[in-house]
């Protein structure tokens, strides 16, 4: 009898010590920063089949559509809670001339998309079509203006065309194209990647150009523009320093972008989206976590020049970049999307939430059929990817109050390297409900996590959801049952203001508490 009691005690102690290193403390009474819903934004470029065949099929298509925009994609994105959409690029933006995309479709000039596949762009999807898409989605439009190959007048007139209610040649032109009232577009990128495909500029030169363009992008009526300066590529801290020093932050621009893609190997060999080993998985997660350092260091620079926090950081291109699927056009950037991509999405969103004092918008690349897409289409068929389900799960954090958390996590180790196994976000919605999202990055081992909600005496577990699969390279494909989706989750034990959560390997969980 005593030996059984001793063994039982040893078991209890072993459980205690195995879980003690995985602990989350949520300070429910200390939150004050809002997690902007725009952190959960999206990006669609004239690239491959993102626009054409993705959203846009034309009014004469047999695929069910409203005004040429396919219904199934719109319905899925609305269900996911898309808050904004950035367009028309990307690199395409700085060679796009918006007047080519208005008026009669039969009279619109064509152009060569020199960045993506060398295909002919017929401009059948332009400003009016994009605004119709945003209207159907219920999403805020984010327009990226052409600073690279365009002119100040061209961008100034685009703003006037979209936003002015006055009598002028631009508003008369808009009305002649079927739109009487202005749309009132708030968010405007002043160029894209001007350190690279947008003109190969130095930060000093771009800062001067950006200030000039900013001067001539005007406010009309009650609408106030939120101008977004082209920010750095990854760890280019000098670019951020120059723009914050020379760019007149807060006046010439109210937001500054950051671009960073997760690439398992390097640009010449990015690796397969579906055929990868644990070494490539570990590298992917490790490089994803580098976003934490990027955000911290760039925000430190911003804080020196903008102590009043007037300028938002916009991570308006991010996500996994793999090699294209075999047999597809290399310039179309079509890649599958696995549970690994879902893990990358969850970690990045947790980091954006963590820095929500500065991070006010983020846009994963890209929404349909390109890079880390939410949706894949083939003819009249549509697939929701694992990344889609992460965004749908994380919808609970939209405009909620960030709750400060302290996390103690065991490590996920591989070949003498290690990363934290646990990633998390806690938030409180306006109705008082607390949502906790937790990811277990370890693909081999389940973890048990103790969670304490300080500031509360008693909690109730309302519901839970989980995203996982048998294999980390599981994906959803056409004509097959979904392998990765949202499922209910209830492996939670509650006691007072604490709970014990048991996460399977390679999983993402959402808990709703009251």
């Amino acid at each position: 009898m005593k030996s059984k009691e001793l063994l039982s005690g040893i078991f209890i102690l072993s459980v205690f010590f195995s879980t003690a290193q995985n602990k989350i403390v949520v300070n429910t009474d200390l939150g004050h920063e809002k997690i902007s819903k725009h952190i959960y934004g999206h990006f669609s470029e004239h690239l491959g089949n993102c626009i054409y065949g993705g959203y846009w099929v034309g009014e004469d298509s047999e695929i069910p559509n409203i005004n040429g925009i396919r219904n199934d994609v719109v319905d899925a994105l609305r269900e996911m809670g898309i808050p904004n959409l950035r367009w028309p690029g990307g690199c395409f933006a700085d060679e796009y001339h918006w007047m080519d995309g208005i008026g009669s479709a039969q009279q619109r000039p064509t152009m060569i998309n020199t960045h993506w596949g060398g295909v002919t762009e017929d401009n059948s999807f332009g400003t009016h079509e994009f605004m119709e898409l945003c209207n159907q989605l219920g999403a805020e439009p984010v327009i990226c203006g052409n600073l690279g190959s365009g002119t100040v007048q061209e961008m100034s007139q685009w703003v006037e065309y979209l936003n002015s209610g006055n009598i002028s040649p631009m508003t008369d032109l808009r009305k002649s194209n079927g739109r009487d009232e202005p749309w009132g577009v708030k968010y405007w990128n002043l160029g894209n990647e001007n350190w690279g495909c947008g003109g190969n500029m130095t930060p000093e030169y771009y800062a001067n150009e950006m200030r000039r363009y900013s001067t001539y992008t005007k406010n009309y009526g009650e609408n106030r523009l939120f101008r977004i300066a082209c920010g750095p590529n990854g760890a280019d801290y000098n670019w951020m320093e120059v723009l914050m020093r020379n760019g007149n932050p807060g006046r010439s621009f109210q937001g500054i972008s950051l671009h960073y893609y997760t690439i398992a190997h390097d640009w010449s060999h990015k690796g397969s989206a579906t055929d990868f080993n644990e070494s490539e998985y570990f590298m992917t997660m490790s490089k994803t976590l580098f976003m934490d350092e990027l955000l911290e260091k760039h925000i430190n620079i911003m804080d020196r020049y903008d102590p009043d926090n007037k300028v938002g950081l916009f991570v308006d291109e991010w996500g996994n970049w793999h090699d294209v699927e075999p047999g597809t056009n290399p310039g179309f950037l079509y890649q599958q999307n696995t549970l690994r991509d879902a893990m990358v999405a969850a970690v990045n969103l947790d980091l954006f939430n963590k820095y929500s004092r500065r991070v006010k918008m983020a846009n994963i690349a890209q929404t349909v059929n390109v890079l880390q897409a939410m949706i894949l289409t083939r003819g009249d068929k549509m697939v929701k990817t694992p990344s889609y389900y992460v965004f749908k799960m994380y919808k609970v954090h939209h405009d909620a109050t960030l709750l400060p958390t302290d996390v103690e996590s065991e490590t996920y180790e591989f070949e003498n390297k290690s990363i934290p196994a646990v990633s998390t976000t806690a938030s409180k919605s306006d109705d008082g409900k607390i949502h906790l999202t937790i990811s277990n990055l370890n693909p081999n081992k389940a973890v048990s996590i103790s969670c304490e909600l300080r500031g509360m005496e008693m909690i109730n577990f309302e519901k839970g959801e989980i995203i996982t699969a048998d294999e980390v390279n599981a994906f959803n494909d056409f004509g097959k049952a979904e392998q990765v989706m949202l499922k209910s989750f209830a492996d939670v034990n509650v006691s007072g203001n604490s709970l014990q959560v048991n996460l399977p390997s390679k999983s993402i969980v959402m808990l709703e508490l009251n």
Side-chain angles (χ1 to χ4, degrees), residues 59 128 185 188 207 241 259 276 321 476:
E59 295 182 38
H128 287 254
V185 176
W188 288 82
E241 185 90 32
H259 289 185
F276 55 88
W321 195 319
N476 300 333

Side-chain angles (χ1 to χ4, degrees), residues 17 75 122 142 150 156-157 164 186 218 237 260 303 330 337 352 373 490-491 505 511:
F17 285 114
D75 290 344
D122 68 2
V142 182
S156 176
Q157 288 180 333
S164 176
K186 177 180 179 180
K218 306 288 188 178
Y237 301 112
Y260 175 70
D303 285 346
N337 193 296
F352 301 152
D491 198 350
S505 63
L511 308 176

